[in-house]
């Protein structure tokens, strides 16, 4: 696993690189354009970049500067084993450049960032295999992408994502985001969903829940404080949405990440 922080600026010319092995990279912040043999895609937070071994690729920042990814590398033998155990998965290589953000991966991606922060190699290894299995499973039923998204629409969505990342704890309606992008709410909604894989509101909730999930694991702040500072107006709404996306309550999620020694101490 590599924690990759890119500082490239808008307009900086991309250069060709090569995937030394099979790669699944989790985009944790920022946006960029990824071009590989299997196609091109705008990468957004929560998306999975898919790379095939010994193939060339380019990453460009046409609309937004900088990004950060958690990149997991797989040997051909390891990936082949994962694909062989997923019914209907195409063998040999990834046939798509990416998988857009989706609610089903929210808890796994938060776990990946927590494991990165804590430097837990064993947990990261498990997360890498879970990611590979999830990616292979989702690729078996990946629908076709919308016909065409203009570069101007890509720029609008990249700017909207940066706005949500910077001000996600504030009230941001679809109309607010569309006004910032200088386009109609419907066109903005359609373009955003085509590029990101979520509606703007779903993405905003995912960003808030992701931030809250990480804080639950790495801080001692109260659940209510974390909820309010993440942008949720009341604790019951936060608890309900957190449980729906993460599969458990905030308190149980926090406890599930603590060492057994600490849990025994808390129970005494």
């Amino acid at each position: 696993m590599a924690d990759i922080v890119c500082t490239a600026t808008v307009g900086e010319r991309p250069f060709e690189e090569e995937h030394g092995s099979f790669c699944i990279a989790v985009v944790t912040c920022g946006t960029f354009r990824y071009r590989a043999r299997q196609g091109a895609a705008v990468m957004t937070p929560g998306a999975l970049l898919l790379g095939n071994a010994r193939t060339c690729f380019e990453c460009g920042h046409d609309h937004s500067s900088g990004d950060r990814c958690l990149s997991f590398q797989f040997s051909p033998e390891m990936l082949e084993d994962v694909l062989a155990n997923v019914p209907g998965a195409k063998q040999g290589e990834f046939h798509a450049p990416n998988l857009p953000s989706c609610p089903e991966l929210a808890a796994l991606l938060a776990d990946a960032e927590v494991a990165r922060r804590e430097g837990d190699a064993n947990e990261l290894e498990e997360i890498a295999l879970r990611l590979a299995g999830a990616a292979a499973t989702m690729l078996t039923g990946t629908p076709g992408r919308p016909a065409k998204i203009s570069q101007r629409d890509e720029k609008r969505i990249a700017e909207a994502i940066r706005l949500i990342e910077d001000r996600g704890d504030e009230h941001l309606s679809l109309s607010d985001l569309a006004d910032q992008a200088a386009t109609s709410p419907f066109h903005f909604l359609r373009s955003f969903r085509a590029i990101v894989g979520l509606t703007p509101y779903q993405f905003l909730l995912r960003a808030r829940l992701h931030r809250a999930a990480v804080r639950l694991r790495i801080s001692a702040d109260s659940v209510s404080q974390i909820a309010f500072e993440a942008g949720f107006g009341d604790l019951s709404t936060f608890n309900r949405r957190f449980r729906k996306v993460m599969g458990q309550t905030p308190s149980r999620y926090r406890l599930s990440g603590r060492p057994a020694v600490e849990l025994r101490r808390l129970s005494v």
Side-chain angles (χ1 to χ4, degrees), residues 198-248:
L198 301 171
T199 68
Y201 186 60
Q202 288 172 337
F203 180 83
L204 175 63
L205 288 178
R206 190 205 67 84
R208 289 174 174 174
L209 289 171
H210 176 84
R211 187 177 298 119
V214 173
R215 281 191 63 187
L216 283 167
R217 288 283 181 84
I218 67 174
S219 79
D221 297 335
S222 67
V223 173
S224 59
Q225 179 183 351
I226 291 173
F228 295 141
E229 292 181 359
F232 292 89
D234 63 87
L235 187 57
S236 61
T237 298
F238 171 69
N239 286 334
R240 183 176 68 254
R241 293 192 181 281
F242 192 98
R243 184 169 185 174
K244 180 179 180 180
V245 173
M246 301 298 183
Q248 51 190 328

Side-chain angles (χ1 to χ4, degrees), residues 113-153:
E113 185 159 347
V114 171
R116 175 190 63 80
R117 287 173 176 265
E118 297 179 348
D120 190 329
N122 291 329
E123 185 173 10
L124 284 168
E125 183 179 17
E126 291 184 357
I127 288 172
L129 291 174
R130 290 167 60 195
L131 273 174
T137 299
M138 294 172 68
L139 282 171
T140 63
T142 300
R145 295 182 67 83
K148 185 175 179 61
I149 298 295
S150 70
Q151 289 193 0
R152 179 162 179 77
D153 285 332

Side-chain angles (χ1 to χ4, degrees), residues 63 150-161 181-183 187-188 191-192:
H63 314 306
S150 70
Q151 289 193 0
R152 179 162 179 77
D153 285 332
E154 292 180 358
K155 183 176 186 296
R156 287 167 172 161
I157 301 312
E159 292 172 347
I161 287 172
T183 187
H187 182 78
F188 179 82
S191 300
F192 195 101

Side-chain angles (χ1 to χ4, degrees), residues 21-24 50-53 72-86 89-95 128-129 131-136 139:
S21 56
F22 287 96
C23 167
I24 300 177
L50 306 177
N52 291 314
F72 295 87
Q73 309 294 319
F74 301 85
S75 67
E77 295 78 16
M78 180 178 290
L79 187 65
E80 193 66 33
D81 182 58
V82 172
L83 296 176
N85 285 279
V86 176
K90 184 178 180 180
Q91 304 298 303
E93 62 179 23
F94 296 120
H95 63 275
L129 291 174
L131 273 174
L139 282 171

Side-chain angles (χ1 to χ4, degrees), residues 9-12 14 31-33 35 59-65 151 154-155 158:
T9 58
V10 175
E12 188 171 329
T31 64
F32 60 95
R33 186 170 184 82
R35 184 184 300 276
C59 292
H61 290 78
D62 298 331
H63 314 306
S64 179
S65 298
Q151 289 193 0
E154 292 180 358
K155 183 176 186 296

